[in-house]
Amino acid sequence: MATIEDVAKLTGLSRTTISRVINNHPYVSEEKRKLVLEAMEKLGYVPNSSARSLRNQKTSILALFIPRITNPFFSELVEATEIAAAEHGYQLIICQTRYSPEKELNYMNLLKTKQVDGVILASIQNEWKKLKPFLQYGPIVLCNEFDDCANVPTVRLDQVYGGYIATKHLLEQGHTKIAYCSGGYRSNVAQSRETGFKKALAEYKLTFDERYAFRDAFHIADGKRVFHQMMELFERPTAVFTGSDEVAAGIISEALRCGYRIPEDLAVVGFDNQAITELTNPTITTVHQPVKQMAQKAVDIIVEKIQTKKYDVQEIYEFPLQLIVRASTIGNKLHGSEA
Amino acid sequence: MATIEDVAKLTGLSRTTISRVINNHPYVSEEKRKLVLEAMEKLGYVPNSSARSLRNQKTSILALFIPRITNPFFSELVEATEIAAAEHGYQLIICQTRYSPEKELNYMNLLKTKQVDGVILASIQNEWKKLKPFLQYGPIVLCNEFDDCANVPTVRLDQVYGGYIATKHLLEQGHTKIAYCSGGYRSNVAQSRETGFKKALAEYKLTFDERYAFRDAFHIADGKRVFHQMMELFERPTAVFTGSDEVAAGIISEALRCGYRIPEDLAVVGFDNQAITELTNPTITTVHQPVKQMAQKAVDIIVEKIQTKKYDVQEIYEFPLQLIVRASTIGNKLHGSEA
DNA sequence: GAAACGAATGAAATCGTTTTCATATTCATA
DNA sequence: TATGAATATGAAAACGATTTCATTCGTTTC
């Protein structure tokens, strides 16, 4: 393995000059520069990353925290983040917290041990006060998930509005008994959507019915289960808001299998605008989230924070959400509700 | 930021002793050990990763190469790989080649610059002879994708068998006009499946019809397109083998939308056993791939290779595939073919 | 013609660890 | 009581880069 010393010896120059060539510093004669480049080529020399990291106090690695990558929303986020990071010359380490506060805290040591230059949190499993101390070691940027207490840059989507427009759409179709599905209690994303959901209900003088709330719906299978739970209710809902397209697809799939009609018997609205929304037979009305833009922005910001070294500023960047109306809420001009 | 020197000063000991405590070396008196641990706690000291990497010539980072992470098969692979890596104390850097040989080669420099201890290739975009030179810098393990020329450990699945059992299943249902879909020409995975497909055909004295071959099908949308291409053929196939559940789902979705019956008009077999196979209305017959086991094995092996430093050995570990029969090929005891 | 400046180069310190080697002490053994 | 091991500790040399500070040599400038 050739080192800078080998190149120096071969060229008869000092390490300093070699380093200057590597880093495109001025004050190197064209003659020597060529000599060095040839020697580097000949030796197959490439600077050692660890040595550079140590000397420069910089790893060019970012960490992205997500609960799990097989959730298509997070897949998309990882895809976009990796691409954006690469554009800035950064590598991306994936940290799957699997919803565990301990795992999250453990991964946070990547920042403390200087294995990464910064952390992007796309989900949060601990209270902010547990996370905050790590700010002294490097920048933390919130992306998607957020926390009002957190004094750090936050890139997020207007989830209240998302919950609101999706619900309002159902209300406009005449529905009054609308169930609510989400994934988890802890997430502020989910809570915001619920706020938007309730806001829309309130505008129609309706109150939130706890019996219609299912806050443990993450996957397709959960959607199928929730469908049955809804149908067992005394007063069945005629529409359902879900926090993910997978759950919506699960509900629809199970409903159809059991002989129900969508949206006539049950209108369903998803969230995320995943590929599967075009797959089910009534295609799925959903809320589009501009994941790419969000990821790009988060990376831009963290790169800037790494440079400026000012980490504890609360800046909020919010992107809009967009309702995509498809067939799962509007069936052949029929209204689904006969409240 | 506290360094080992600070701990040494605070305790009045040498860096050597601090290091011994950190690394659990023998020959440190219990008294001093406690003293050191207290000082570390007090200073919030944690060893610097870059310094350790440089000194130990080891980063504890692996790189995983995939075309793109939003393909659910690769999401699952990344998930399992990250978990397995974490168990061994390794971090995982994601490298999305996006099917580009240049990007792949570029990411390979992670190995050369010693930013990672090893590379797991889950897809291959270059000829092996382009990749081979990197072996002098660290271990490369093939996982999922493979190359017979490659003199490295390979963890793979028996794709010939996978293509064979899926096709044989269709043949057993009486089909004789079976279309073939795959994603890409270059991949040995796809080519092996095609070999298995042809082998099954041959056993039934049927020949491969190039007009029935669609080798550019990756996503749901491709499935929809391919469905129409198939239906425009003079002699329509009565069954179709696909290289992914997404494509299968796309075909089924579009077929249903256009009023065709599945499997009566067209039997469809997918690949991967993804969640969506349980979503479409006739659920999708597919081939299950033991992704977790494969990923776990690949990580186990690369960790071992990092230790033993013997990289250029061709060892092949093959896991079996399994046909999962669902409704998209067997409809209510009806046979779909009337050749 | 001296002073000042710019271009080109190198010696040595530095980043924060781990490891090698040396030294000192204790303790058992012949 | 000398001898050799086992235990406990530290000084200094690595690991492979970058940067600071000199130094040297031309070239301008007054």
Side-chain angles (χ1 to χ4, degrees):
Chain A
M1 192 96 329
T3 73
I4 200 170
E5 183 67 38
D6 298 326
V7 183
K9 280 205 180 114
L10 183 60
T11 55
L13 296 166
S14 72
R15 298 203 298 275
T16 313
T17 304
I18 314 301
S19 176
R20 287 217 179 85
V21 172
I22 295 170
N23 296 287
N24 285 314
H25 283 169
Y27 302 156
V28 178
S29 68
E30 200 48 47
E31 172 203 9
K32 301 283 161 73
R33 180 185 304 281
K34 262 192 192 156
L35 189 65
V36 169
L37 290 175
E38 278 168 20
M40 281 171 38
E41 175 75 16
K42 186 170 167 190
L43 293 171
Y45 169 78
V46 148
N48 178 297
S49 292
S50 303
R52 287 191 122 174
S53 295
L54 175 58
R55 176 63 225 216
N56 295 336
Q57 304 284 48
K58 182 169 192 333
T59 62
S60 293
I61 304 179
L62 300 177
L64 175 60
F65 285 45
I66 51 173
R68 51 181 309 200
I69 204 166
T70 42
N71 177 327
F73 171 79
F74 289 110
S75 297
E76 204 183 330
L77 187 65
V78 171
E79 173 173 88
T81 307
E82 196 266 344
I83 292 172
E87 281 169 7
H88 285 278
Y90 280 82
Q91 305 302 326
L92 191 68
I93 282 181
I94 296 300
C95 304
Q96 293 185 102
T97 64
R98 326 212 94 228
Y99 302 102
S100 150
E102 293 76 30
K103 283 206 173 66
E104 180 175 83
L105 234 38
N106 197 38
Y107 277 122
M108 270 291 174
N109 284 318
L110 289 174
L111 200 57
K112 197 169 179 183
T113 62
K114 293 280 169 202
Q115 193 153 23
V116 302
D117 290 339
V119 162
I120 299 177
L121 293 180
S123 78
I124 308 181
Q125 308 303 328
N126 285 280
E127 290 172 51
W128 177 248
K129 66 177 183 190
K130 291 259 182 104
L131 267 18
K132 188 174 176 174
F134 289 94
L135 255 190
Q136 62 183 295
Y137 307 111
I140 299 172
V141 167
L142 267 39
C143 171
N144 175 57
E145 190 54 86
F146 55 91
D147 187 323
D148 293 329
C149 311
N151 53 326
V152 292
T154 302
V155 185
R156 65 186 206 188
L157 305 172
D158 191 345
Q159 302 292 353
V160 175
Y161 179 70
Y164 174 78
I165 50 175
T167 312
K168 191 172 176 196
H169 169 68
L170 292 173
L171 290 162
E172 283 170 355
Q173 307 303 309
H175 295 283
T176 55
K177 291 180 289 187
I178 307 177
Y180 173 82
C181 291
S182 76
Y185 294 82
R186 268 191 300 224
S187 160
N188 279 311
V189 167
Q191 278 179 22
S192 296
R193 288 181 191 164
E194 190 167 324
T195 301
F197 180 87
K198 288 173 177 165
K199 186 179 156 202
L201 247 47
E203 281 187 8
Y204 275 68
K205 314 276 186 241
L206 295 168
T207 54
F208 188 83
D209 189 338
E210 266 303 328
R211 290 169 307 167
Y212 286 172
F214 304 89
R215 298 192 183 84
D216 54 352
F218 297 85
H219 306 300
I220 290 175
D222 297 321
K224 295 186 180 185
R225 170 179 52 80
V226 165
F227 171 74
H228 288 292
Q229 291 178 312
M230 289 191 296
M231 290 306 115
E232 281 164 12
L233 291 175
F234 178 67
E235 279 193 294
R236 292 177 181 174
T238 63
V240 56
F241 168 94
T242 70
S244 89
D245 290 330
E246 288 79 51
V247 173
I251 291 173
I252 292 174
S253 162
E254 193 64 7
L256 295 176
R257 204 182 61 79
C258 296
Y260 290 82
R261 294 161 306 158
I262 307 287
E264 292 80 1
D265 299 325
L266 185 72
V268 182
V269 48
F271 221 103
D272 293 350
N273 195 22
Q274 296 294 340
I276 47 166
T277 55
E278 301 268 17
L279 199 67
T280 46
N281 202 305
T283 54
I284 304 177
T285 294
T286 190
V287 177
H288 174 77
Q289 309 202 70
V291 174
K292 281 185 191 56
Q293 291 170 56
M294 183 168 65
Q296 179 76 52
K297 186 72 185 173
V299 171
D300 289 350
I301 299 211
I302 203 159
V303 167
E304 182 222 311
K305 295 302 162 196
I306 290 169
Q307 283 163 3
T308 63
K309 300 192 174 166
K310 186 99 179 71
Y311 310 145
D312 58 343
V313 278
Q314 192 186 46
E315 311 162 357
I316 296 181
Y317 304 88
E318 198 164 68
F319 290 93
L321 295 179
Q322 195 187 343
L323 182 71
I324 311 274
V325 178
R326 295 208 181 87
S328 69
T329 54
I330 303 201
N332 309 319
K333 297 171 201 111
L334 282 173
H335 283 245
S337 115
E338 49 250 18
Chain B
M1 190 96 330
T3 71
I4 199 170
E5 182 68 39
D6 299 326
V7 183
K9 281 204 180 113
L10 183 60
T11 55
L13 295 167
S14 72
R15 298 204 297 277
T16 313
T17 304
I18 314 303
S19 177
R20 286 213 179 89
V21 172
I22 296 169
N23 297 286
N24 284 312
H25 281 171
Y27 303 153
V28 177
S29 67
E30 200 46 48
E31 171 203 8
K32 303 283 162 75
R33 179 184 307 279
K34 262 192 193 155
L35 189 66
V36 169
L37 290 174
E38 277 168 20
M40 284 173 30
E41 176 73 18
K42 186 170 168 189
L43 293 170
Y45 168 79
V46 147
N48 178 296
S49 290
S50 302
R52 285 191 125 174
S53 295
L54 175 59
R55 176 64 224 213
N56 295 336
Q57 304 284 48
K58 182 167 191 336
T59 62
S60 295
I61 303 178
L62 300 177
L64 175 59
F65 285 46
I66 52 172
R68 53 181 307 202
I69 203 166
T70 42
N71 176 327
F73 172 78
F74 289 110
S75 296
E76 203 183 332
L77 187 65
V78 171
E79 172 172 273
T81 307
E82 197 266 343
I83 293 172
E87 281 169 9
H88 285 278
Y90 280 81
Q91 305 301 328
L92 192 67
I93 283 182
I94 295 301
C95 304
Q96 295 186 102
T97 63
R98 325 212 96 228
Y99 302 102
S100 150
E102 293 75 32
K103 283 206 173 65
E104 181 175 83
L105 235 38
N106 197 38
Y107 277 122
M108 270 290 173
N109 285 318
L110 289 175
L111 202 55
K112 197 168 176 183
T113 62
K114 291 279 167 204
Q115 194 153 24
V116 301
D117 290 340
V119 162
I120 299 176
L121 292 180
S123 76
I124 308 181
Q125 307 303 328
N126 284 280
E127 293 173 48
W128 178 248
K129 66 178 182 191
K130 291 259 181 105
L131 266 20
K132 187 173 175 174
F134 289 94
L135 255 191
Q136 61 183 294
Y137 306 111
I140 300 172
V141 166
L142 267 40
C143 172
N144 176 54
E145 190 55 87
F146 55 91
D147 187 324
D148 293 330
C149 310
N151 52 326
V152 293
T154 301
V155 185
R156 65 185 206 191
L157 306 173
D158 191 344
Q159 301 293 353
V160 174
Y161 179 70
Y164 174 78
I165 50 176
T167 312
K168 191 174 175 194
H169 169 68
L170 293 173
L171 290 161
E172 283 169 356
Q173 308 303 310
H175 296 283
T176 56
K177 290 181 290 186
I178 307 177
Y180 173 83
C181 291
S182 76
Y185 293 82
R186 267 192 301 225
S187 158
N188 280 311
V189 167
Q191 279 179 21
S192 296
R193 288 180 191 166
E194 190 167 324
T195 301
F197 181 86
K198 287 172 177 166
K199 186 179 156 202
L201 248 47
E203 282 187 8
Y204 276 68
K205 312 278 186 239
L206 295 168
T207 54
F208 188 82
D209 189 336
E210 265 303 325
R211 291 169 305 168
Y212 286 173
F214 304 89
R215 297 195 184 81
D216 55 351
F218 296 84
H219 306 301
I220 290 175
D222 298 319
K224 295 187 179 183
R225 169 179 51 79
V226 164
F227 172 74
H228 289 290
Q229 291 178 311
M230 289 191 297
M231 291 304 114
E232 280 162 13
L233 291 174
F234 177 68
E235 279 193 294
R236 293 178 180 173
T238 62
V240 56
F241 169 95
T242 71
S244 89
D245 290 330
E246 287 78 52
V247 173
I251 290 173
I252 291 174
S253 162
E254 192 64 6
L256 296 175
R257 204 182 60 81
C258 297
Y260 290 82
R261 295 162 305 160
I262 305 287
E264 292 79 1
D265 298 324
L266 184 72
V268 182
V269 48
F271 221 104
D272 292 351
N273 195 24
Q274 297 293 340
I276 46 166
T277 54
E278 302 267 18
L279 200 67
T280 47
N281 201 306
T283 54
I284 304 177
T285 294
T286 191
V287 177
H288 174 76
Q289 309 201 70
V291 174
K292 281 186 190 58
Q293 290 170 55
M294 183 167 66
Q296 178 75 53
K297 186 72 185 174
V299 171
D300 289 349
I301 298 215
I302 204 158
V303 167
E304 183 222 311
K305 295 303 162 195
I306 290 168
Q307 283 163 1
T308 62
K309 300 191 172 165
K310 186 98 181 72
Y311 309 144
D312 60 342
V313 277
Q314 191 185 46
E315 312 162 355
I316 296 181
Y317 304 87
E318 199 165 68
F319 290 91
L321 295 178
Q322 195 187 345
L323 182 71
I324 311 275
V325 178
R326 295 206 181 88
S328 68
T329 54
I330 302 201
N332 309 322
K333 298 173 200 105
L334 281 174
H335 283 247
S337 114
E338 49 250 18

